[in-house]
Amino acid sequence: RTKLLRLGARRGRLCSAYVAFGTVLALVLGSLRLAYAPPYDPALDARCVKALRSAQSEWFETRACAYDAREARADFVAAELALTVRAKHAPGPCAVLTLGLPTPSPGRFIGQGLLVDETATGGSSFPTGDEALARKMGFWMRSMMDAGAFTCETHTYTDERAVRVLESSLRKQGYFDAVVGKLWNDHKQAKQLDEEFEKIVKSSPNVKLTVLINDAKRSQSQFARFKKGLASGKVSTLIWRREITSTAQRKALMKEVKFVARFGYSLYLAGASQNAKGGAEPTAYLRIDHGAWDDKFATPNTGIELTIVAVPRDNKFKRLLDQSFSLCPVRSSVLNFNERADALCACETERFSTELAEPTCSLESRLALARSKRRGFWSFFMGKTTEPEDTEGFDELDVALNDVGGEDYEVNK
């Protein structure tokens, strides 16, 4: 009897060991599955993308003004978010590369007091001969400072007339290492984004870049000349402005989005609004690549300067946008194996319910306002503008899109 009891105890311990080993193995395999599986992405999930697209379309239609960069500098707000996340989760060498100067809204003349010209005769104050350029420079400087961009090394390329004044003004603020240079002509091959990228990386091999293209009229060719940078894994955030004035430009924007997405980026329309204190803060970010795109976002002749933000799919900033600024938030609980798939698709527009849909903020109101400003009957009737189409930039982008390696990410069925 004693031997039987001992044998039973041994079998019990053996069974317990097997159970414990099986539990540990299941946990390890589950952890590996989560570690190596691609992060969940609602724009690539056919179960969710329909709900996401519908919610975003309705939201944009009633709150279009929140996506005009001139209203609340959504591009610099996005840069501030990206740099904050980088500093917390991936500290190390960083650089901010900016092209062109942004257009501020008519009522905002922030930062003019920051401008000086140390080489000016008879004093150090900035001569006000070109008010439009002064507005852009002051707006750029204040926005860069508010975004915390000067905690990184900065490389700025701008109008030749602004180079000297910006250099003087940055030195006055203590930013002695900030690089300011003349912005190259898009239609000449001699200067490219990849060239500047390679110079920065050569001097700091471990650097991570945030790229801001502040001029909404830069040629579409700029991305065709940034393939090395996009493929390097060193561009942690790419932000650019676009104003759509024709169906051709809308198609070009869609190709830009598709081109950047092929390098492993997720893309969003950045929203921002002014708070009670007059400052700018982020609002809902709208996903625009793959199945989440809606032509409504790029309606021609609304007078809206859109801000597009591209973030690598494995970046912590993308996780923040998906969890905290999406109309259909992605929660960490989606990693629970037992959770119903429907839970991944829940849209919660009430999260941003404090942002009331003002009639003057709607897409329809913006279109009406833009039409009233347009000159000439035929310009109004045909929907044309006086801005020439950048056909060379369109063609170069087409060639680059066809030549670039890799395939589009398809929506998962």
Side-chain angles (χ1 to χ4, degrees):
R1 182 178 180 182
T2 301
K3 289 182 178 180
L4 289 174
L5 288 174
R6 288 177 178 174
L7 183 61
R10 288 175 182 174
R11 288 177 177 175
R13 286 194 295 269
L14 187 61
C15 288
S16 298
Y18 277 125
V19 170
F21 176 75
T23 302
V24 171
L25 181 62
L27 290 173
V28 170
L29 291 175
S31 299
L32 289 174
R33 174 186 169 188
L34 295 181
Y36 290 101
Y40 173 76
D41 195 328
L44 303 180
D45 189 340
R47 300 167 300 173
C48 303
V49 73
K50 184 177 180 181
L52 176 65
R53 180 176 177 178
S54 176
Q56 291 186 159
S57 178
E58 182 178 348
W59 180 271
F60 184 82
E61 190 169 6
T62 56
R63 296 168 177 83
C65 68
Y67 298 89
D68 187 350
R70 289 170 293 201
E71 291 290 325
R73 45 184 172 159
D75 46 354
F76 289 102
V77 173
E80 181 180 6
L81 283 173
L83 292 171
T84 301
V85 172
R86 183 212 61 80
K88 181 177 181 181
H89 296 285
C94 61
V96 177
L97 172 63
T98 73
L99 303 185
L101 293 172
T103 303
S105 62
R108 296 178 67 87
F109 198 178
I110 63 171
Q112 186 187 19
L114 299 172
L115 301 178
V116 297
D117 184 359
E118 295 174 350
T119 64
T121 304
S124 62
S125 61
F126 174 64
T128 57
D130 190 335
E131 292 293 338
L133 184 60
R135 287 174 62 90
K136 289 184 177 182
M137 286 191 290
F139 185 80
W140 177 86
M141 275 201 66
R142 172 53 63 193
S143 298
M144 288 281 283
M145 292 169 67
D146 290 347
F150 295 112
T151 58
C152 303
E153 62 175 283
T154 60
H155 300 257
T156 299
Y157 299 93
T158 183
D159 188 307
E160 185 177 13
R161 297 170 297 163
V163 171
R164 185 185 65 191
V165 175
L166 284 182
E167 285 180 335
S168 298
S169 303
L170 289 169
R171 281 197 296 267
K172 182 186 178 184
Q173 297 298 323
Y175 306 126
F176 298 102
D177 296 328
V179 177
V180 183
K182 176 185 174 183
L183 184 59
W184 56 90
N185 188 329
D186 276 333
H187 299 288
K188 295 181 179 179
Q189 296 284 345
K191 199 83 166 179
Q192 304 173 14
L193 261 174
D194 268 336
E195 289 183 12
E196 299 308 319
F197 166 78
E198 289 178 332
K199 290 178 186 177
I200 295 171
V201 172
K202 185 177 181 179
S203 64
S204 182
N206 297 320
V207 72
K208 292 289 185 179
L209 279 83
T210 297
V211 179
L212 287 99
I213 303 171
N214 298 129
D215 184 354
K217 296 179 181 179
R218 296 296 293 174
S219 171
Q220 280 74 17
S221 64
Q222 62 191 345
F223 295 111
R225 305 173 193 180
F226 197 31
K227 289 184 285 189
K228 291 180 182 178
L230 292 173
S232 69
K234 294 184 179 295
V235 179
S236 58
T237 312
L238 171 62
I239 304 168
W240 75 97
R241 290 190 180 196
R242 275 284 176 246
E243 182 175 359
I244 307 302
T245 58
S246 69
T247 55
Q249 289 183 350
R250 175 166 64 190
K251 291 178 182 177
L253 174 59
M254 293 171 64
K255 289 178 181 179
E256 286 180 333
V257 169
K258 188 175 183 180
F259 181 77
V260 175
R262 285 192 179 181
F263 291 91
Y265 288 80
S266 297
L267 290 101
Y268 305 80
L269 277 189
S273 59
Q274 292 189 43
N275 55 31
K277 297 181 179 180
E281 57 186 25
T283 181
Y285 274 55
L286 309 182
R287 189 67 182 271
I288 59 172
D289 57 315
H290 302 99
W293 172 266
D294 192 307
D295 282 347
K296 194 176 296 181
F297 300 149
T299 303
N301 297 317
T302 59
I304 294 174
E305 277 194 5
L306 301 170
T307 296
I308 301 93
V309 178
V311 188
R313 293 191 179 91
D314 59 352
N315 193 286
K316 295 285 187 181
F317 183 32
K318 171 181 160 47
R319 184 177 299 179
L320 172 70
L321 294 180
D322 288 343
Q323 292 181 355
S324 301
F325 294 100
S326 173
L327 295 176
C328 307
V330 177
R331 304 196 182 283
S332 57
S333 59
V334 300
L335 301 180
N336 185 339
F337 298 130
N338 298 318
E339 186 159 347
R340 293 174 59 231
D342 293 346
L344 310 183
C345 311
C347 296
E348 303 173 2
T349 55
E350 63 273 10
R351 298 165 70 237
F352 302 94
S353 59
T354 55
E355 300 174 22
L356 300 177
E358 297 288 344
T360 56
C361 192
S362 69
L363 181 60
E364 183 179 355
S365 293
R366 286 295 171 129
L367 276 169
L369 180 62
R371 286 176 186 143
S372 68
K373 293 180 178 179
R374 213 173 301 151
R375 295 179 179 178
F377 171 79
W378 284 109
S379 175
F380 171 82
F381 183 77
M382 300 296 292
K384 294 181 179 179
T385 68
T386 57
E387 290 290 334
E389 297 287 4
D390 181 17
T391 54
E392 291 182 11
F394 294 170
D395 293 342
E396 190 171 347
L397 180 61
D398 272 332
V399 172
L401 190 58
N402 292 329
D403 290 346
V404 71
E407 299 293 332
D408 296 331
Y409 282 69
E410 297 297 336
V411 176
N412 299 324
K413 303 299 182 184

